[in-house]
Amino acid sequence: MTTGNIQLLSDTLAKAKAENRAALIAYLPAGFPTVDGGIAAIKAVFDGGADVVEVGLPHSDPVLDGPVIQTADDIALRGGVKIADVMRTVREAHEATGKPVLVMTYWNPIDRYGIERFTEELAEAGGAGCILPDLPVQESAVWREHADKHGLATVFVVAPSSKDERLATITAAGSGFVYAASLMGVTGTRESVGEQAADLVRRTRATSELPVCVGLGVSNATQAKEVAGFADGVIVGSAFVQRILDADGDEAAGLTAVRELAAELAEGVRRAP
């Protein structure tokens, strides 16, 4: 039986901590701008300094994603991206770099594909696990059983609205790391959102030994540095996607842009506060 790379993910996050910095986690959807172009973009992001990459499984109704990622998902879906292409993306990105690659997906595609088949193929592709933003913890037992069997992390998402008791339930069920979601600029002022995210990390850490990584609308090195001051990992998605959209079909320019952004962010997470 093939085993996934949860250990590689844990080791990578531990190494960043040992270097007294936050890990840089990048997100890019599979099949965007094409399947091959998406694989090249992930390699470029790793080349620029990302520690971990989340590969998005494009979905027609991405409820938790903003307009930038929705646009990329639409492009990927119009291009005919399939789960097999997502697995190929994971495999080629991991084989080329030796770094941990996760899949971020809504539950419906896995449910339709089959849990056993999905976990087996993800492990076989060298995947490190899955981030499942809309799978309720109380309905996750079957998934977790298969993920554990195949050496895959199950990353759950917590939010500022999560009560302490709920946080403890979520972190007890998760593995790899905890994804702390906090939407920048949506609630209150910029300053208070930073405080809200820091508070969420503090409350989450009180329930678990797992690293806590923050997806916070971070788009530049200054914001990355701020989040790195209180989180174990900084998650960046839309900013990478936007760079590829801005390249407007010029693949070489898009690759250069995401590599440069990764390098800037990697510097941000390494700067002493």
Side-chain angles (χ1 to χ4, degrees):
M1 189 184 70
T2 47
T3 304
N5 273 310
I6 185 172
Q7 191 60 51
L8 176 64
L9 174 65
S10 298
D11 291 349
T12 301
L13 294 170
K15 180 172 180 281
K17 186 175 185 176
E19 292 171 4
N20 200 26
R21 65 178 179 87
L24 174 59
I25 302 177
Y27 166 95
L28 282 166
F32 168 72
T34 60
V35 177
D36 288 342
I39 292 167
I42 292 168
K43 289 178 187 172
V45 165
F46 272 134
D47 193 37
D51 298 290
V52 179
V53 167
E54 305 171 6
V55 175
L57 194 158
H59 194 264
S60 52
D61 182 27
V63 286
L64 295 174
D65 294 313
V68 172
I69 289 171
Q70 283 184 22
T71 300
D73 277 5
D74 286 344
I75 290 168
L77 291 166
R78 284 205 303 274
V81 71
K82 301 277 189 291
I83 286 182
D85 299 311
V86 177
M87 297 299 179
R88 188 186 136 212
T89 300
V90 171
R91 175 183 287 105
E92 294 196 11
H94 172 64
E95 282 179 355
T97 63
K99 296 196 173 161
V101 183
L102 298 127
V103 170
M104 182 160 187
T105 179
Y106 295 96
W107 182 246
N108 188 28
I110 294 180
D111 202 31
R112 293 203 342 235
Y113 197 72
I115 297 173
E116 172 61 29
R117 182 181 171 201
F118 191 94
T119 50
E120 191 166 328
E121 289 182 10
L122 182 56
E124 196 266 324
C130 254
I131 298 161
L132 300 163
D134 66 340
L135 175 63
V137 172
Q138 59 273 23
E139 293 169 28
S140 69
V142 175
W143 160 268
R144 285 187 285 128
E145 181 189 326
H146 286 288
D148 289 349
K149 183 171 83 176
H150 289 291
L152 298 167
T154 298
V155 178
F156 289 114
V157 179
V158 297
S161 57
S162 305
K163 301 279 183 280
D164 290 356
E165 191 181 342
R166 174 95 184 123
L167 286 177
T169 304
I170 294 171
T171 58
S175 56
F177 64 91
V178 181
Y179 189 124
S182 184
L183 299 174
M184 195 178 281
V186 175
T187 46
T189 64
R190 174 65 195 84
E191 192 179 328
S192 71
V193 175
E195 284 169 16
Q196 201 177 26
D199 179 61
L200 175 59
V201 171
R202 184 185 56 73
R203 291 194 300 121
T204 305
R205 280 195 180 135
T207 70
S208 174
E209 295 290 308
L210 288 173
V212 184
C213 303
V214 174
L216 220 163
V218 174
S219 60
N220 61 48
T222 306
Q223 292 165 332
K225 180 187 174 189
E226 182 193 348
V227 176
F230 58 80
D232 298 298
V234 179
I235 302 168
V236 181
S238 297
F240 284 112
V241 173
Q242 188 64 56
R243 294 284 174 109
I244 295 172
L245 291 171
D246 289 347
D248 203 21
D250 181 339
E251 187 175 328
L255 294 177
T256 299
V258 295
R259 190 182 294 109
E260 286 174 354
L261 177 59
E264 288 164 26
L265 293 165
E267 195 184 319
V269 300
R270 281 171 171 82
R271 275 191 224 145

